């Protein structure tokens, strides 16, 4: 493994994409007196690489987020003994670990448990040895938080599809029944968050009665302390006239969400941390922690303005330790393709993918409605991360589907299914299971 015993300290910062055969994510490490090389141990890191330290002056740095004990994944080259590394957290030595496998990136816990936060990590080789017969090196695959004992790493969140047909009459119980069921199932599902992909109502009236019904139906989420957000659909704006017919000028009226924002506020949602425009929830983000990892739910206006997309870029870039869930009313078409038209808005779903969804390594999921029934797809971002997108719309005249998403952060997996509690009905054609999510920890 020894390439040269160079006296000068050389900083090597390479992304996995630079290396032949590796192409999923950038290496999490910056290395001094070492290198980023193709991974040779198992399980293979998301980047397909490891950081090699080959002298006592070698060290690697990275940043981790979360709470628990720091876990270092590494393999070593045996040479009259195994390599030992010293780990520092925010400049303070936290402990040492001797790496005792040449093939398994097993986790080595170092230091005392840490509170929730952001930590700068430095890992240095302590006991380099080099002979004519062998060379003692260490190869780092990851540094991450090990959840405290007893932390449940499986939880769920829910995505409610278009409910515009459920608020047309006072006698329709479906929206309230769905919300009541979700609240009742909080414990069984370990439900941590509820979001809505837009078209909460069908159209506005002088007495705003559809908004009144929707707000009343959603209130159990608030009284139970369940955080939620609503994406704004075209029917939630003044562009939708009586019976949902398009009013003119549609583009201008699409941005008139005065009534929507009167009935649905950041305070009601419960976990909103920022908004694009003061006093409006058309573009907002909420955060929470579940499964011992951080989540950020970003709701964006329909066919968003370029300025709104630029704001969203800043939000995602400022939260690299959060797994981002994007919710917007129109993104996938009924055939699971990404939409190409801007409708009577400002930008297309493809623009959103090119300028936001596909650009940041911590964007994990996109949820949308508006068209079709249900669909899903998996894309790869520019950093090699996989992005799972789901459509759920239904426009059902008789029942009340909801998409449930179960995340297992230990297994790095997702299971999603659609269930309608009003008719106790399942939709198995839309069940999906995915592994290797590459969650940020």
């Amino acid at each position: 493994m020894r390439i040269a015993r160079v006296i000068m300290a050389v900083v090597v910062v390479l992304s996995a994409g630079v290396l032949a055969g590796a192409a999923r994510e950038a290496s999490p490490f910056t290395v001094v007196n070492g290198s980023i090389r193709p991974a040779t141990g198992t399980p293979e890191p998301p980047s397909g690489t490891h950081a090699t330290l080959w002298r006592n002056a070698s060290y690697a740095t990275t940043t981790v987020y979360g709470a628990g004990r720091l876990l270092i994944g590494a393999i070593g080259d045996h040479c009259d003994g195994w390599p030992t590394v010293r780990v520092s957290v925010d400049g303070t030595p936290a402990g040492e670990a001797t790496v005792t496998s040449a093939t398994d990136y097993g986790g080595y816990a170092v230091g005392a448990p840490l509170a929730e936060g952001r930590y700068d990590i430095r890992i240095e080789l302590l006991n380099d040895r080099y002979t004519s017969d062998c060379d003692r090196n260490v190869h780092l695959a990851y540094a991450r938080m090990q959840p405290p004992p007893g932390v449940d790493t499986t939880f769920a969140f829910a995505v409610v599809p278009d409910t515009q047909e459920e608020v047309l009459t006072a006698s329709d119980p479906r929206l309230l029944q769905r919300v009541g069921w979700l609240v009742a199932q909080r414990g069984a599902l370990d439900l941590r968050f509820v979001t809505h992909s837009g078209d909460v109502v069908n159209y506005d009236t002088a007495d705003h009665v559809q908004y009144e019904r929707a707000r009343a139906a959603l209130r159990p989420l608030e009284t139970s302390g369940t955080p939620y957000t609503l994406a704004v659909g075209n029917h939630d704006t003044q562009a939708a006239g009586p019976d949902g017919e398009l009013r003119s000028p549609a583009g201008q009226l699409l941005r008139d969400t005065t009534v929507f924002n009167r009935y649905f506020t950041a305070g009601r949602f419960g976990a909103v941390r920022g908004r694009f425009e003061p006093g409006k929830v058309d573009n907002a983000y909420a955060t929470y922690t579940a499964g011992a990892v951080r989540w950020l739910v970003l709701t964006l206006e329909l066919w968003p303005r370029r300025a709104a997309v630029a704001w969203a870029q800043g939000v995602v870039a400022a939260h690299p330790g959060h797994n981002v869930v994007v919710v917007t009313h129109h993104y996938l078409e009924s055939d699971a393709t990404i939409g190409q038209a801007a409708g009577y808005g400002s930008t297309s779903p493809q623009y959103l993918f090119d300028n936001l969804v596909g650009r940041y390594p911590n964007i994990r999921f996109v949820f949308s409605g508006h068209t079709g029934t249900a669909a899903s797809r998996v894309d790869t971002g520019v950093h090699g991360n996989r992005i799972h997108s789901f459509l759920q719309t239904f426009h059902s005249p008789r029942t009340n589907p909801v998409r449930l998403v179960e995340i297992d952060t230990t297994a790095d997996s997702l299971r999603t299914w659609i269930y309608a509690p009003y008719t106790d009905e399942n939709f198995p054609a839309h069940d999906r299971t995915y592994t290797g999510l590459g969650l940020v920890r």
Side-chain angles (χ1 to χ4, degrees), residues 1 3 10-14 19 27 29-38 49-54 58-60 138-140:
M1 180 65 68
I3 298 175
V10 179
V11 178
V12 181
V13 186
L14 295 176
L19 302 170
S27 169
F29 293 105
T30 297
V31 185
V32 174
N33 284 326
S35 64
I36 305 295
R37 305 182 64 83
T49 67
H50 58 215
T52 295
L53 308 182
W54 61 62
S58 298
Y59 65 89
V138 70
H139 314 282
L140 308 172

PDB file of all heavy atoms in Angstrom, residues 1 3 10-14 19 27 29-38 49-54 58-60 138-140:
ATOM      1  N   MET A   1       0.832  -1.194   0.000  1.00  0.00           N
ATOM      2  CA  MET A   1       0.000   0.000   0.000  1.00  0.00           C
ATOM      3  C   MET A   1       0.865   1.243   0.000  1.00  0.00           C
ATOM      4  O   MET A   1       0.499   2.297  -0.482  1.00  0.00           O
ATOM      5  CB  MET A   1      -0.919  -0.001   1.219  1.00  0.00           C
ATOM      6  CG  MET A   1      -1.819   1.215   1.308  1.00  0.00           C
ATOM      7  SD  MET A   1      -2.996   1.271  -0.047  1.00  0.00           S
ATOM      8  CE  MET A   1      -4.009  -0.151   0.375  1.00  0.00           C
ATOM      9  N   ILE A   3       3.005   4.029  -0.987  1.00  0.00           N
ATOM     10  CA  ILE A   3       3.334   4.598  -2.291  1.00  0.00           C
ATOM     11  C   ILE A   3       4.649   5.340  -2.217  1.00  0.00           C
ATOM     12  O   ILE A   3       5.542   5.167  -3.034  1.00  0.00           O
ATOM     13  CB  ILE A   3       2.216   5.537  -2.776  1.00  0.00           C
ATOM     14  CG1 ILE A   3       0.935   4.733  -2.933  1.00  0.00           C
ATOM     15  CG2 ILE A   3       2.587   6.223  -4.068  1.00  0.00           C
ATOM     16  CD1 ILE A   3      -0.256   5.575  -3.295  1.00  0.00           C
ATOM     17  N   VAL A  10       0.638  16.580   2.275  1.00  0.00           N
ATOM     18  CA  VAL A  10      -0.168  16.809   1.095  1.00  0.00           C
ATOM     19  C   VAL A  10      -1.621  16.616   1.467  1.00  0.00           C
ATOM     20  O   VAL A  10      -1.995  15.589   2.028  1.00  0.00           O
ATOM     21  CB  VAL A  10       0.209  15.838  -0.040  1.00  0.00           C
ATOM     22  CG1 VAL A  10      -0.670  16.085  -1.248  1.00  0.00           C
ATOM     23  CG2 VAL A  10       1.675  16.005  -0.398  1.00  0.00           C
ATOM     24  N   VAL A  11      -2.450  17.583   1.189  1.00  0.00           N
ATOM     25  CA  VAL A  11      -3.873  17.465   1.447  1.00  0.00           C
ATOM     26  C   VAL A  11      -4.534  16.879   0.226  1.00  0.00           C
ATOM     27  O   VAL A  11      -4.388  17.398  -0.870  1.00  0.00           O
ATOM     28  CB  VAL A  11      -4.495  18.838   1.769  1.00  0.00           C
ATOM     29  CG1 VAL A  11      -5.993  18.695   1.991  1.00  0.00           C
ATOM     30  CG2 VAL A  11      -3.832  19.448   3.000  1.00  0.00           C
ATOM     31  N   VAL A  12      -5.276  15.790   0.429  1.00  0.00           N
ATOM     32  CA  VAL A  12      -5.954  15.134  -0.672  1.00  0.00           C
ATOM     33  C   VAL A  12      -7.441  15.242  -0.430  1.00  0.00           C
ATOM     34  O   VAL A  12      -7.943  14.752   0.560  1.00  0.00           O
ATOM     35  CB  VAL A  12      -5.541  13.649  -0.773  1.00  0.00           C
ATOM     36  CG1 VAL A  12      -6.232  12.982  -1.945  1.00  0.00           C
ATOM     37  CG2 VAL A  12      -4.033  13.529  -0.901  1.00  0.00           C
ATOM     38  N   VAL A  13      -8.153  15.881  -1.328  1.00  0.00           N
ATOM     39  CA  VAL A  13      -9.606  15.990  -1.237  1.00  0.00           C
ATOM     40  C   VAL A  13     -10.156  15.526  -2.563  1.00  0.00           C
ATOM     41  O   VAL A  13     -10.161  16.256  -3.537  1.00  0.00           O
ATOM     42  CB  VAL A  13     -10.072  17.423  -0.956  1.00  0.00           C
ATOM     43  CG1 VAL A  13     -11.573  17.447  -0.734  1.00  0.00           C
ATOM     44  CG2 VAL A  13      -9.348  17.999   0.240  1.00  0.00           C
ATOM     45  N   LEU A  14     -10.606  14.269  -2.632  1.00  0.00           N
ATOM     46  CA  LEU A  14     -11.099  13.695  -3.872  1.00  0.00           C
ATOM     47  C   LEU A  14     -12.504  13.201  -3.673  1.00  0.00           C
ATOM     48  O   LEU A  14     -12.831  12.640  -2.637  1.00  0.00           O
ATOM     49  CB  LEU A  14     -10.216  12.504  -4.301  1.00  0.00           C
ATOM     50  CG  LEU A  14      -8.751  12.821  -4.685  1.00  0.00           C
ATOM     51  CD1 LEU A  14      -8.039  11.524  -4.976  1.00  0.00           C
ATOM     52  CD2 LEU A  14      -8.699  13.745  -5.880  1.00  0.00           C
ATOM     53  N   LEU A  19     -12.559   8.664  -9.006  1.00  0.00           N
ATOM     54  CA  LEU A  19     -11.912   7.369  -9.072  1.00  0.00           C
ATOM     55  C   LEU A  19     -12.618   6.459 -10.052  1.00  0.00           C
ATOM     56  O   LEU A  19     -13.839   6.397 -10.075  1.00  0.00           O
ATOM     57  CB  LEU A  19     -11.910   6.717  -7.685  1.00  0.00           C
ATOM     58  CG  LEU A  19     -11.221   7.548  -6.572  1.00  0.00           C
ATOM     59  CD1 LEU A  19     -11.505   6.910  -5.231  1.00  0.00           C
ATOM     60  CD2 LEU A  19      -9.741   7.647  -6.823  1.00  0.00           C
ATOM     61  N   SER A  27     -16.499  11.285  -1.070  1.00  0.00           N
ATOM     62  CA  SER A  27     -15.945  10.808   0.181  1.00  0.00           C
ATOM     63  C   SER A  27     -16.283  11.790   1.290  1.00  0.00           C
ATOM     64  O   SER A  27     -16.228  13.004   1.099  1.00  0.00           O
ATOM     65  CB  SER A  27     -14.422  10.673   0.069  1.00  0.00           C
ATOM     66  OG  SER A  27     -13.855  10.445   1.347  1.00  0.00           O
ATOM     67  N   PHE A  29     -14.469  12.293   3.809  1.00  0.00           N
ATOM     68  CA  PHE A  29     -13.219  12.655   4.475  1.00  0.00           C
ATOM     69  C   PHE A  29     -12.363  13.621   3.659  1.00  0.00           C
ATOM     70  O   PHE A  29     -12.317  13.565   2.429  1.00  0.00           O
ATOM     71  CB  PHE A  29     -12.387  11.395   4.751  1.00  0.00           C
ATOM     72  CG  PHE A  29     -13.004  10.462   5.752  1.00  0.00           C
ATOM     73  CD1 PHE A  29     -13.609   9.290   5.329  1.00  0.00           C
ATOM     74  CD2 PHE A  29     -12.980  10.757   7.102  1.00  0.00           C
ATOM     75  CE1 PHE A  29     -14.174   8.417   6.244  1.00  0.00           C
ATOM     76  CE2 PHE A  29     -13.557   9.896   8.030  1.00  0.00           C
ATOM     77  CZ  PHE A  29     -14.148   8.722   7.598  1.00  0.00           C
ATOM     78  N   THR A  30     -11.669  14.487   4.384  1.00  0.00           N
ATOM     79  CA  THR A  30     -10.535  15.248   3.859  1.00  0.00           C
ATOM     80  C   THR A  30      -9.288  14.665   4.513  1.00  0.00           C
ATOM     81  O   THR A  30      -9.267  14.459   5.734  1.00  0.00           O
ATOM     82  CB  THR A  30     -10.663  16.740   4.204  1.00  0.00           C
ATOM     83  OG1 THR A  30     -11.816  17.265   3.568  1.00  0.00           O
ATOM     84  CG2 THR A  30      -9.443  17.505   3.737  1.00  0.00           C
ATOM     85  N   VAL A  31      -8.245  14.381   3.722  1.00  0.00           N
ATOM     86  CA  VAL A  31      -7.101  13.617   4.214  1.00  0.00           C
ATOM     87  C   VAL A  31      -5.813  14.414   4.070  1.00  0.00           C
ATOM     88  O   VAL A  31      -5.580  15.046   3.042  1.00  0.00           O
ATOM     89  CB  VAL A  31      -6.975  12.277   3.457  1.00  0.00           C
ATOM     90  CG1 VAL A  31      -5.856  11.439   4.045  1.00  0.00           C
ATOM     91  CG2 VAL A  31      -8.276  11.502   3.514  1.00  0.00           C
ATOM     92  N   VAL A  32      -4.971  14.368   5.099  1.00  0.00           N
ATOM     93  CA  VAL A  32      -3.637  14.948   5.073  1.00  0.00           C
ATOM     94  C   VAL A  32      -2.628  13.813   5.204  1.00  0.00           C
ATOM     95  O   VAL A  32      -2.746  12.958   6.094  1.00  0.00           O
ATOM     96  CB  VAL A  32      -3.452  15.970   6.217  1.00  0.00           C
ATOM     97  CG1 VAL A  32      -2.004  16.452   6.270  1.00  0.00           C
ATOM     98  CG2 VAL A  32      -4.393  17.149   6.029  1.00  0.00           C
ATOM     99  N   ASN A  33      -1.636  13.804   4.312  1.00  0.00           N
ATOM    100  CA  ASN A  33      -0.639  12.729   4.276  1.00  0.00           C
ATOM    101  C   ASN A  33      -1.288  11.364   4.107  1.00  0.00           C
ATOM    102  O   ASN A  33      -0.942  10.395   4.783  1.00  0.00           O
ATOM    103  CB  ASN A  33       0.231  12.739   5.534  1.00  0.00           C
ATOM    104  CG  ASN A  33       1.263  13.840   5.501  1.00  0.00           C
ATOM    105  OD1 ASN A  33       1.775  14.180   4.444  1.00  0.00           O
ATOM    106  ND2 ASN A  33       1.558  14.413   6.662  1.00  0.00           N
ATOM    107  N   GLY A  34      -2.245  11.294   3.215  1.00  0.00           N
ATOM    108  CA  GLY A  34      -2.930  10.050   2.907  1.00  0.00           C
ATOM    109  C   GLY A  34      -3.628  10.188   1.575  1.00  0.00           C
ATOM    110  O   GLY A  34      -3.289  11.051   0.770  1.00  0.00           O
ATOM    111  N   SER A  35      -4.623   9.368   1.337  1.00  0.00           N
ATOM    112  CA  SER A  35      -5.320   9.428   0.049  1.00  0.00           C
ATOM    113  C   SER A  35      -6.714   8.848   0.164  1.00  0.00           C
ATOM    114  O   SER A  35      -7.028   8.133   1.115  1.00  0.00           O
ATOM    115  CB  SER A  35      -4.538   8.662  -1.031  1.00  0.00           C
ATOM    116  OG  SER A  35      -4.476   7.281  -0.707  1.00  0.00           O
ATOM    117  N   ILE A  36      -7.532   9.182  -0.818  1.00  0.00           N
ATOM    118  CA  ILE A  36      -8.850   8.566  -0.971  1.00  0.00           C
ATOM    119  C   ILE A  36      -8.709   7.485  -2.032  1.00  0.00           C
ATOM    120  O   ILE A  36      -8.298   7.771  -3.163  1.00  0.00           O
ATOM    121  CB  ILE A  36      -9.909   9.607  -1.406  1.00  0.00           C
ATOM    122  CG1 ILE A  36      -9.947  10.782  -0.446  1.00  0.00           C
ATOM    123  CG2 ILE A  36     -11.275   8.945  -1.531  1.00  0.00           C
ATOM    124  CD1 ILE A  36     -10.393  10.451   0.949  1.00  0.00           C
ATOM    125  N   ARG A  37      -9.038   6.233  -1.670  1.00  0.00           N
ATOM    126  CA  ARG A  37      -8.795   5.112  -2.574  1.00  0.00           C
ATOM    127  C   ARG A  37     -10.058   4.250  -2.684  1.00  0.00           C
ATOM    128  O   ARG A  37     -10.938   4.313  -1.814  1.00  0.00           O
ATOM    129  CB  ARG A  37      -7.620   4.265  -2.069  1.00  0.00           C
ATOM    130  CG  ARG A  37      -6.344   5.066  -1.852  1.00  0.00           C
ATOM    131  CD  ARG A  37      -5.194   4.193  -1.388  1.00  0.00           C
ATOM    132  NE  ARG A  37      -4.842   3.224  -2.395  1.00  0.00           N
ATOM    133  CZ  ARG A  37      -4.043   3.490  -3.440  1.00  0.00           C
ATOM    134  NH1 ARG A  37      -3.534   4.695  -3.587  1.00  0.00           N
ATOM    135  NH2 ARG A  37      -3.765   2.549  -4.318  1.00  0.00           N
ATOM    136  N   PRO A  38     -10.169   3.431  -3.726  1.00  0.00           N
ATOM    137  CA  PRO A  38     -11.337   2.538  -3.846  1.00  0.00           C
ATOM    138  C   PRO A  38     -11.447   1.611  -2.639  1.00  0.00           C
ATOM    139  O   PRO A  38     -10.449   1.079  -2.148  1.00  0.00           O
ATOM    140  CB  PRO A  38     -11.043   1.755  -5.133  1.00  0.00           C
ATOM    141  CG  PRO A  38     -10.127   2.639  -5.917  1.00  0.00           C
ATOM    142  CD  PRO A  38      -9.275   3.338  -4.904  1.00  0.00           C
ATOM    143  N   THR A  49     -15.443   4.342  -1.547  1.00  0.00           N
ATOM    144  CA  THR A  49     -14.042   4.640  -1.245  1.00  0.00           C
ATOM    145  C   THR A  49     -13.781   4.517   0.245  1.00  0.00           C
ATOM    146  O   THR A  49     -14.696   4.466   1.056  1.00  0.00           O
ATOM    147  CB  THR A  49     -13.684   6.075  -1.677  1.00  0.00           C
ATOM    148  OG1 THR A  49     -14.391   7.012  -0.852  1.00  0.00           O
ATOM    149  CG2 THR A  49     -14.042   6.324  -3.139  1.00  0.00           C
ATOM    150  N   HIS A  50     -12.478   4.511   0.579  1.00  0.00           N
ATOM    151  CA  HIS A  50     -12.086   4.718   1.969  1.00  0.00           C
ATOM    152  C   HIS A  50     -10.902   5.685   2.003  1.00  0.00           C
ATOM    153  O   HIS A  50     -10.242   5.935   0.985  1.00  0.00           O
ATOM    154  CB  HIS A  50     -11.778   3.413   2.697  1.00  0.00           C
ATOM    155  CG  HIS A  50     -10.706   2.564   2.087  1.00  0.00           C
ATOM    156  ND1 HIS A  50     -10.754   1.187   2.100  1.00  0.00           N
ATOM    157  CD2 HIS A  50      -9.534   2.868   1.444  1.00  0.00           C
ATOM    158  CE1 HIS A  50      -9.681   0.683   1.510  1.00  0.00           C
ATOM    159  NE2 HIS A  50      -8.922   1.691   1.103  1.00  0.00           N
ATOM    160  N   ALA A  51     -10.651   6.250   3.174  1.00  0.00           N
ATOM    161  CA  ALA A  51      -9.545   7.190   3.362  1.00  0.00           C
ATOM    162  C   ALA A  51      -8.362   6.432   3.966  1.00  0.00           C
ATOM    163  O   ALA A  51      -8.476   5.850   5.042  1.00  0.00           O
ATOM    164  CB  ALA A  51      -9.968   8.333   4.277  1.00  0.00           C
ATOM    165  N   THR A  52      -7.244   6.412   3.264  1.00  0.00           N
ATOM    166  CA  THR A  52      -6.070   5.653   3.692  1.00  0.00           C
ATOM    167  C   THR A  52      -5.082   6.556   4.419  1.00  0.00           C
ATOM    168  O   THR A  52      -4.680   7.602   3.900  1.00  0.00           O
ATOM    169  CB  THR A  52      -5.391   4.995   2.479  1.00  0.00           C
ATOM    170  OG1 THR A  52      -6.280   4.022   1.913  1.00  0.00           O
ATOM    171  CG2 THR A  52      -4.097   4.319   2.887  1.00  0.00           C
ATOM    172  N   LEU A  53      -4.706   6.146   5.645  1.00  0.00           N
ATOM    173  CA  LEU A  53      -3.676   6.830   6.421  1.00  0.00           C
ATOM    174  C   LEU A  53      -2.482   5.896   6.511  1.00  0.00           C
ATOM    175  O   LEU A  53      -2.624   4.761   6.966  1.00  0.00           O
ATOM    176  CB  LEU A  53      -4.188   7.159   7.825  1.00  0.00           C
ATOM    177  CG  LEU A  53      -5.531   7.908   7.918  1.00  0.00           C
ATOM    178  CD1 LEU A  53      -5.873   8.196   9.377  1.00  0.00           C
ATOM    179  CD2 LEU A  53      -5.491   9.189   7.103  1.00  0.00           C
ATOM    180  N   TRP A  54      -1.292   6.386   6.100  1.00  0.00           N
ATOM    181  CA  TRP A  54      -0.164   5.473   6.027  1.00  0.00           C
ATOM    182  C   TRP A  54       1.071   5.914   6.821  1.00  0.00           C
ATOM    183  O   TRP A  54       2.101   5.270   6.795  1.00  0.00           O
ATOM    184  CB  TRP A  54       0.248   5.205   4.578  1.00  0.00           C
ATOM    185  CG  TRP A  54       0.695   6.402   3.784  1.00  0.00           C
ATOM    186  CD1 TRP A  54       1.759   7.208   4.019  1.00  0.00           C
ATOM    187  CD2 TRP A  54       0.085   6.888   2.595  1.00  0.00           C
ATOM    188  NE1 TRP A  54       1.854   8.173   3.066  1.00  0.00           N
ATOM    189  CE2 TRP A  54       0.831   7.998   2.161  1.00  0.00           C
ATOM    190  CE3 TRP A  54      -1.019   6.487   1.845  1.00  0.00           C
ATOM    191  CZ2 TRP A  54       0.518   8.726   1.020  1.00  0.00           C
ATOM    192  CZ3 TRP A  54      -1.327   7.206   0.704  1.00  0.00           C
ATOM    193  CH2 TRP A  54      -0.571   8.309   0.299  1.00  0.00           C
ATOM    194  N   SER A  58      -0.309  11.166   9.283  1.00  0.00           N
ATOM    195  CA  SER A  58      -1.534  11.101   8.489  1.00  0.00           C
ATOM    196  C   SER A  58      -2.750  11.352   9.372  1.00  0.00           C
ATOM    197  O   SER A  58      -2.812  10.859  10.508  1.00  0.00           O
ATOM    198  CB  SER A  58      -1.688   9.716   7.844  1.00  0.00           C
ATOM    199  OG  SER A  58      -0.625   9.443   6.966  1.00  0.00           O
ATOM    200  N   TYR A  59      -3.714  12.081   8.842  1.00  0.00           N
ATOM    201  CA  TYR A  59      -4.986  12.211   9.552  1.00  0.00           C
ATOM    202  C   TYR A  59      -6.091  12.543   8.562  1.00  0.00           C
ATOM    203  O   TYR A  59      -5.842  13.016   7.447  1.00  0.00           O
ATOM    204  CB  TYR A  59      -4.918  13.258  10.669  1.00  0.00           C
ATOM    205  CG  TYR A  59      -4.695  14.684  10.233  1.00  0.00           C
ATOM    206  CD1 TYR A  59      -5.771  15.514   9.930  1.00  0.00           C
ATOM    207  CD2 TYR A  59      -3.403  15.203  10.155  1.00  0.00           C
ATOM    208  CE1 TYR A  59      -5.574  16.834   9.545  1.00  0.00           C
ATOM    209  CE2 TYR A  59      -3.192  16.523   9.779  1.00  0.00           C
ATOM    210  CZ  TYR A  59      -4.275  17.333   9.473  1.00  0.00           C
ATOM    211  OH  TYR A  59      -4.074  18.634   9.090  1.00  0.00           O
ATOM    212  N   ALA A  60      -7.322  12.273   8.982  1.00  0.00           N
ATOM    213  CA  ALA A  60      -8.508  12.548   8.169  1.00  0.00           C
ATOM    214  C   ALA A  60      -9.484  13.343   9.007  1.00  0.00           C
ATOM    215  O   ALA A  60      -9.572  13.164  10.228  1.00  0.00           O
ATOM    216  CB  ALA A  60      -9.153  11.243   7.691  1.00  0.00           C
ATOM    217  N   VAL A 138      -4.142   2.190   7.952  1.00  0.00           N
ATOM    218  CA  VAL A 138      -5.548   2.114   8.328  1.00  0.00           C
ATOM    219  C   VAL A 138      -6.374   2.754   7.226  1.00  0.00           C
ATOM    220  O   VAL A 138      -5.926   3.708   6.568  1.00  0.00           O
ATOM    221  CB  VAL A 138      -5.808   2.793   9.698  1.00  0.00           C
ATOM    222  CG1 VAL A 138      -5.651   4.307   9.615  1.00  0.00           C
ATOM    223  CG2 VAL A 138      -7.186   2.420  10.236  1.00  0.00           C
ATOM    224  N   HIS A 139      -7.581   2.228   6.990  1.00  0.00           N
ATOM    225  CA  HIS A 139      -8.451   2.683   5.899  1.00  0.00           C
ATOM    226  C   HIS A 139      -9.832   2.983   6.488  1.00  0.00           C
ATOM    227  O   HIS A 139     -10.511   2.076   6.999  1.00  0.00           O
ATOM    228  CB  HIS A 139      -8.550   1.606   4.816  1.00  0.00           C
ATOM    229  CG  HIS A 139      -7.221   1.005   4.448  1.00  0.00           C
ATOM    230  ND1 HIS A 139      -6.322   1.639   3.619  1.00  0.00           N
ATOM    231  CD2 HIS A 139      -6.635  -0.152   4.848  1.00  0.00           C
ATOM    232  CE1 HIS A 139      -5.235   0.884   3.489  1.00  0.00           C
ATOM    233  NE2 HIS A 139      -5.408  -0.213   4.228  1.00  0.00           N
ATOM    234  N   LEU A 140     -10.262   4.222   6.424  1.00  0.00           N
ATOM    235  CA  LEU A 140     -11.481   4.689   7.083  1.00  0.00           C
ATOM    236  C   LEU A 140     -12.641   4.729   6.106  1.00  0.00           C
ATOM    237  O   LEU A 140     -12.555   5.391   5.059  1.00  0.00           O
ATOM    238  CB  LEU A 140     -11.259   6.090   7.658  1.00  0.00           C
ATOM    239  CG  LEU A 140     -10.010   6.255   8.549  1.00  0.00           C
ATOM    240  CD1 LEU A 140      -9.812   7.722   8.883  1.00  0.00           C
ATOM    241  CD2 LEU A 140     -10.145   5.412   9.809  1.00  0.00           C
TER     242      LEU A 140
END
